[in-house]
Amino acid sequence: MTETGRDTSGPPVGAGSGLRDFPIDRDEILALAELSEGIGLWHLDLAELMLHGTPSFFRMMGLPPTSDPVPVEVTKAVRHPEDFARVQQTYRHAMDSGLDRCEVTFRIIRPDGETRWILGRGHVIRDSAGRPVRYTGVNIDVTESKRAEAALRESEARFRRVFEQSPLGKATAGADFRLREVNPALCRMLGYEPEALIGRNFLDLVHRDDRDACAAAGQALLSGAAPQIQIEERFLHCSGEAFWVNVTVGPIRDPEGRILYSLGIIENIDDRKRMTQALQDSEHRLRELNERLAQAAQERGQQLASSRAQLQAFFDNSPDWLTLIRASPDGRFVFVDVNPTTEVAYGRSREDVVEHEVAEVLGADQAVVPLHYLHECVRTGVTQRYQAHRTLAGRTTTIDVMFVPVPPQTGNPDRYILTTARDLTEHAELEARLRQAQKMEAIGKLTGGVAHDFNNLLAVITGNAELAKRRGAAHLPRLLENILRASERGTALTRQLLSFSRRQAANPQVIDLRVEVPRVAEMLRASLRRNVRLAVSVADELWPIEVDLAEFEIALLNVAANARDAMPDGGTFSIDVRNGTATDSEHVVIAVRDTGTGIAPEVLGKVFDPFFTTKQPGEGTGLGLSQVYGFAQQSGGEAVIESKPGQGTTVTLRLPRSRKPVASTSTPDAGTPSERHERILLVEDNPEVAAVTAQMLQAMGFGVETTDRGRKALARLEAGGRFDLLLTDVVMPEGMTGLDLARAVRQRDPTLPIILMSGYNDVADGADADFVILRKPVPYADLLRSVCVSLDRVTPRDAVSGNA
């Protein structure tokens, strides 16, 4: 649809004149429009704001077809509200700027609720003075093309996720065999960075003895002689070591069927090949032994018995879950044998498992995934591997599972599969402990500076308090302001320490580095010596990133601590934050530099390794920079380090740009204290804290009643006490915490507003979704705002001031 401009005079639009300005016969246009349901013609008189349209136009808009003019507001009403202003601006610009034509794409919402995309093209008809008098144009329904575009984008995004996140190596190559894209799994497999592989001939990665066969297979694919190729060959690691891979390559074609490039999937089968080769070698040796020792049957039997005993001993004593499964031609998978480790894991004896089907032993739900890989193992004859969370015998574990096909036996239709499963639960727990150790080391680096800052803050508070006792009332506001500022700084330091020390999983959030970096820089001053100058440069237009904020703070702290140790005689520690772009990504660059002693070349490649340190025993665990590297990887980015002896060190974090919005931290206005007269029940077991909190609430205009126990507060409410809000500490004595009290009160009276207070970061975990939580100490303004907002969110209660 179109949008009108200002009212002007012009010839009226009526029967026989609505479409006469089209360049071809009007009747022919109408006939064509009737036949094309996706095209509608329209004509708008700007003087009367009446719209003529073909029946196809009105059907497209979801309106009853009519040959009579209708007010333009009729079609405005179906336009999508999010596109309304943009369409209006486009057509108004065409009229006001002297343009003859304009074009705009927008959405409509038909009366039946269906949303359609419309391409509107308008022609401005002007009078001799150049004033617009009417619009003529055409609307084209482009919904299907829009949906096709969206589906294509979604398909490309899915392909990109599968490509990047696949545990198998993946790459695309052109007709010249040069690599166009490689995924992280292939880079890890080959030991190269992506930049070293892009543009490189694929054949360079293949062992020289296998290149001719690989090239011939590739030519067969390009010529169309083979629709797809699968080949086992040897690749070369960056170290020069050869290893076996299974390569499956298929063509990617354009709509006309021409090959654009090829997609290869590479699986490392070196272990399987070695095992197969070892098995073949063993069989060969056994045949030779049988030929040589045909007359020594007894000795051979003893040797074979010994070998079986060794295999059985390995099977029985392996810490992995080992089973042998038979795949019958009718599609059943039956346990043939299980080792003792598997019996313990399943919580069932060998007799209860052997000769039973997999689904029967594991249960139908838990058997879905293993049965899928078992079928694939039989179908392809290729080892299958995956990780899963499995709950057996009442215990949930993370396991790494591998299905290895046993070579088929001649004349036996059954196939056998050897399965191994390794419990990774303890490994995951060790990783969690390592992360906590890294965090605690960071706290150790910070505490010296924090203690110094706290001593300074205490000096400010006690000094101003002494002066307040000795000076007159005229100096009191300034001295109290000094005490408040020092207290706020101490509160911030305490919360940072609590955040660092807390054991928690990664909690990514979208942050604005223009706010967070200066804040963290102030914290870093505590860990730097006074002879180290801190310089911070943050670009004005900076993209947001999505990271774990606590881990980000610890990473900067670890780099700062290393920089401090590298500058014993002082220097400059700088943080430079800016946007960065690469060929296929947008990221934020955080470059942290020092002017210290630098790092020797032979050591530089090891600094990100866990527990590697050049410091004396007792001065560091070597976990600091490994945490920085792990944080960057966990956040989807990278960490690199550059250094030369005597020239300082630069640690650069490249973290991907986030397209998500930064969460708003704005808070509604609480209003004027004198306007509030509600009654508050305050529950606080510390007398000093209770006294000062009650005085603050009374100064705000509220009535306050205090108690020091949760059970007393509950009894007061059950006895008929009428209050407008409950404000309670979380950590309370005698078996009822503030959270217990809040839940009991909520069960009794769901409408009573409740606010929790706590000086701990994690003591109220799980309550954030149900109650407002304030972190102690609570500033006056924050307390007032939270109380007023909580009171204003509920319908006025029948409890009024004065009801006790």
Side-chain angles (χ1 to χ4, degrees):
M1 244 308 289
T2 64
E3 181 58 46
T4 68
R6 58 185 180 275
D7 293 336
T8 63
S9 61
V13 179
S17 65
L19 300 172
R20 64 185 179 187
D21 290 304
F22 285 96
I24 61 176
D25 183 77
R26 178 188 60 189
D27 294 334
E28 183 180 352
I29 293 174
L30 291 173
L32 290 173
E34 285 295 335
L35 294 175
S36 302
E37 291 299 322
I39 300 177
L41 306 180
W42 50 266
H43 179 100
L44 175 65
D45 186 334
L46 297 179
E48 298 182 2
L49 298 181
M50 298 298 288
L51 180 72
H52 293 255
T54 63
S56 179
F57 167 79
F58 284 108
R59 283 192 293 271
M60 181 189 307
M61 306 300 283
L63 301 172
T66 178
S67 59
D68 296 328
V70 298
V72 69
E73 299 298 330
V74 173
T75 55
K76 284 185 180 180
V78 300
R79 193 176 304 153
H80 197 289
E82 295 180 3
D83 299 344
F84 193 94
R86 177 172 55 82
V87 176
Q88 180 178 358
Q89 181 180 4
T90 300
Y91 285 109
R92 183 167 296 164
H93 174 71
M95 290 191 297
D96 296 344
S97 60
L99 297 177
D100 290 335
R101 299 181 184 277
C102 64
E103 181 176 304
V104 64
T105 303
F106 58 93
R107 291 167 292 175
I108 64 171
I109 303 176
R110 292 179 172 180
D112 61 3
E114 182 182 8
T115 300
R116 307 288 294 182
W117 279 93
I118 305 297
L119 170 62
R121 291 175 176 158
H123 180 71
V124 184
I125 307 300
R126 303 179 184 275
D127 59 16
S128 58
R131 294 182 299 243
V133 295
R134 61 183 179 275
Y135 257 125
T136 60
V138 58
N139 279 10
I140 304 173
D141 190 323
V142 294
T143 303
E144 297 308 319
S145 64
K146 283 286 187 179
R147 290 173 178 171
E149 291 174 4
L152 179 59
R153 287 194 300 270
E154 182 181 357
S155 176
E156 291 175 345
R158 284 198 303 270
F159 172 79
R160 177 56 51 192
R161 289 195 298 271
V162 171
F163 185 86
E164 292 294 334
Q165 299 174 9
S166 173
L168 299 178
K170 292 188 177 182
T172 61
D176 57 357
F177 291 97
R178 294 195 178 276
L179 295 171
R180 303 167 74 248
E181 295 178 289
V182 293
N183 74 341
L186 182 59
C187 293
R188 291 191 298 269
M189 188 186 301
L190 295 170
Y192 289 103
E193 293 296 326
E195 296 79 9
L197 293 175
I198 301 301
R200 189 169 180 176
N201 193 305
F202 181 80
L203 295 175
D204 292 344
L205 305 175
V206 181
H207 193 280
R208 63 177 179 273
D209 294 342
D210 299 338
R211 286 176 189 166
D212 291 343
C214 181
Q219 291 298 337
L221 180 72
L222 294 175
S223 66
Q228 179 176 303
I229 61 174
Q230 183 171 5
I231 185 171
E232 291 186 359
E233 57 191 2
R234 287 163 292 179
F235 270 18
L236 296 175
H237 191 267
C238 67
S239 63
E241 182 181 357
F243 61 97
W244 281 94
V245 296
N246 181 286
V247 181
T248 303
V249 183
I252 304 300
R253 304 178 184 272
D254 63 13
E256 286 72 33
R258 295 187 296 268
I259 295 179
L260 297 174
Y261 55 90
S262 58
L263 171 65
I265 302 175
I266 302 95
E267 179 186 6
N268 188 332
I269 61 170
D270 197 59
D271 291 340
R272 179 169 67 87
K273 291 289 288 188
R274 293 179 187 276
M275 183 175 65
T276 302
Q277 185 61 46
L279 181 59
Q280 292 172 350
D281 292 343
S282 176
E283 291 175 346
H284 178 68
R285 290 193 301 270
L286 183 58
R287 283 194 299 270
E288 290 182 345
L289 182 63
N290 288 337
E291 292 172 359
R292 291 196 307 266
L293 302 179
Q295 303 302 320
Q298 183 177 2
E299 181 181 354
R300 181 182 62 183
Q302 293 173 348
Q303 291 174 346
L304 291 175
S306 176
S307 177
R308 292 193 186 98
Q310 291 174 1
L311 291 174
Q312 189 66 44
F314 172 78
F315 186 82
D316 291 339
N317 296 288
S318 173
D320 296 335
W321 309 356
L322 300 179
T323 68
L324 184 64
I325 294 177
R326 181 178 67 248
S328 58
D330 59 3
R332 296 186 307 121
F333 292 91
V334 178
F335 285 100
V336 176
D337 201 358
V338 296
N339 72 341
T341 304
T342 306
E343 292 183 80
V344 175
Y346 285 7
R348 304 178 67 171
S349 67
R350 181 179 181 278
E351 291 72 19
D352 290 338
V353 176
V354 171
E355 296 304 326
H356 290 274
E357 293 190 40
V358 171
E360 181 183 354
V361 174
L362 300 182
D365 292 339
Q366 297 206 54
V368 172
V369 173
L371 283 175
H372 166 75
Y373 286 100
L374 285 169
H375 280 290
E376 286 298 297
C377 188
V378 172
R379 184 181 68 83
T380 63
V382 176
T383 297
Q384 304 292 315
R385 187 174 184 176
Y386 68 97
Q387 288 189 2
H389 297 288
R390 182 72 66 212
T391 301
L392 293 169
R395 179 172 177 262
T396 300
T397 57
T398 301
I399 54 176
D400 182 38
V401 184
M402 182 178 294
F403 295 146
V404 181
V406 177
Q409 299 175 356
T410 303
N412 187 352
D414 292 336
R415 300 289 299 275
Y416 290 88
I417 299 170
L418 178 64
T419 76
T420 68
R422 177 162 296 177
D423 190 340
L424 302 180
T425 307
E426 183 177 356
H427 177 73
E429 292 174 352
L430 290 175
E431 286 185 343
R433 293 176 186 173
L434 174 61
R435 287 194 297 270
Q436 186 68 8
Q438 292 172 331
K439 188 176 296 186
M440 296 309 295
E441 182 188 27
I443 294 174
K445 295 174 181 177
L446 179 64
T447 50
V450 171
H452 181 273
D453 274 12
F454 267 121
N455 284 333
N456 288 342
L457 293 173
L458 290 173
V460 172
I461 293 172
T462 56
N464 280 277
E466 290 290 343
L467 291 173
K469 290 171 59 178
R470 289 167 172 76
R471 293 187 177 180
H475 299 280
L476 193 57
R478 180 176 60 83
L479 297 173
L480 292 176
E481 182 64 25
N482 292 340
I483 293 174
L484 281 174
R485 283 200 300 269
S487 300
E488 291 169 357
R489 173 59 182 157
T491 299
L493 286 175
T494 301
R495 288 178 179 171
Q496 287 165 354
L497 283 176
L498 288 173
S499 175
F500 286 156
S501 62
R502 183 181 181 189
R503 184 187 298 269
Q504 59 185 3
N507 181 28
Q509 56 183 296
V510 180
I511 65 172
D512 185 350
L513 290 179
R514 294 173 299 181
V515 175
E516 299 300 338
V517 169
R519 180 186 63 78
V520 177
E522 286 303 311
M523 178 192 67
L524 295 181
R525 293 184 190 277
S527 62
L528 298 174
R529 297 187 183 90
R530 295 299 181 185
N531 60 355
V532 176
R533 186 176 73 89
L534 176 62
V536 179
S537 175
V538 181
D540 293 334
E541 298 296 330
L542 202 61
W543 295 323
I545 61 174
E546 186 173 9
V547 298
D548 186 307
L549 182 56
E551 292 292 333
F552 173 71
E553 293 171 343
I554 293 173
L556 290 185
L557 174 61
N558 281 323
V559 177
N562 281 354
R564 175 199 63 200
D565 295 341
M567 297 184 289
D569 299 325
T572 300
F573 178 72
S574 62
I575 304 175
D576 179 32
V577 188
R578 54 184 170 81
N579 293 331
T581 56
T583 55
D584 58 352
S585 67
E586 294 177 332
H587 52 268
V588 176
V589 179
I590 306 169
V592 188
R593 303 181 179 89
D594 66 61
T595 58
T597 55
I599 303 173
E602 62 272 14
V603 175
L604 190 60
K606 305 177 182 178
V607 295
F608 285 138
D609 294 345
F611 303 107
F612 176 80
T613 179
T614 59
K615 299 176 182 178
Q616 296 298 319
E619 295 183 2
T621 64
L623 296 176
L625 289 181
S626 70
Q627 183 275 335
V628 176
Y629 182 82
F631 160 74
Q633 294 290 310
Q634 172 187 291
S635 304
E638 63 175 355
V640 296
I641 186 167
E642 301 173 281
S643 182
K644 291 183 179 180
Q647 299 184 23
T649 301
T650 300
V651 177
T652 303
L653 299 175
R654 295 186 180 93
L655 303 174
R657 173 187 183 180
S658 175
R659 300 285 180 175
K660 300 177 183 178
V662 177
S664 173
T665 57
S666 59
T667 307
D669 186 11
T672 305
S674 60
E675 299 172 356
R676 315 307 302 228
H677 301 289
E678 293 89 346
R679 284 181 54 78
I680 297 174
L681 178 59
L682 172 63
V683 187
E684 171 60 64
D685 63 314
N686 186 297
E688 291 81 5
V689 175
V692 70
T693 305
Q695 292 176 37
M696 291 169 66
L697 292 170
Q698 290 166 352
M700 299 171 190
F702 298 110
V704 182
E705 181 175 327
T706 63
T707 183
D708 61 353
R709 295 293 187 272
R711 299 190 188 282
K712 292 181 181 179
L714 190 60
R716 182 74 180 88
L717 290 169
E718 292 176 346
R722 303 299 301 272
F723 298 93
D724 300 288
L725 183 139
L726 172 65
L727 177 63
T728 177
D729 188 18
V730 173
V731 179
M732 300 286 291
E734 297 184 2
M736 174 174 276
T737 67
L739 185 56
D740 295 335
L741 170 63
R743 287 172 175 162
V745 172
R746 179 62 54 83
Q747 188 76 18
R748 173 182 176 272
D749 183 358
T751 65
L752 181 66
I754 300 173
I755 299 177
L756 304 177
M757 298 184 298
S758 177
Y760 296 90
N761 268 12
D762 58 352
V763 72
D765 276 354
D768 301 65
D770 300 322
F771 306 105
V772 176
I773 298 178
L774 298 178
R775 303 296 179 186
K776 289 182 177 181
V778 186
Y780 183 95
D782 291 350
L783 180 61
L784 173 61
R785 184 181 301 106
S786 297
V787 170
C788 291
V789 169
S790 297
L791 288 170
D792 292 341
R793 282 178 179 169
V794 297
T795 304
R797 301 161 55 83
D798 59 355
V800 297
S801 300
N803 292 340

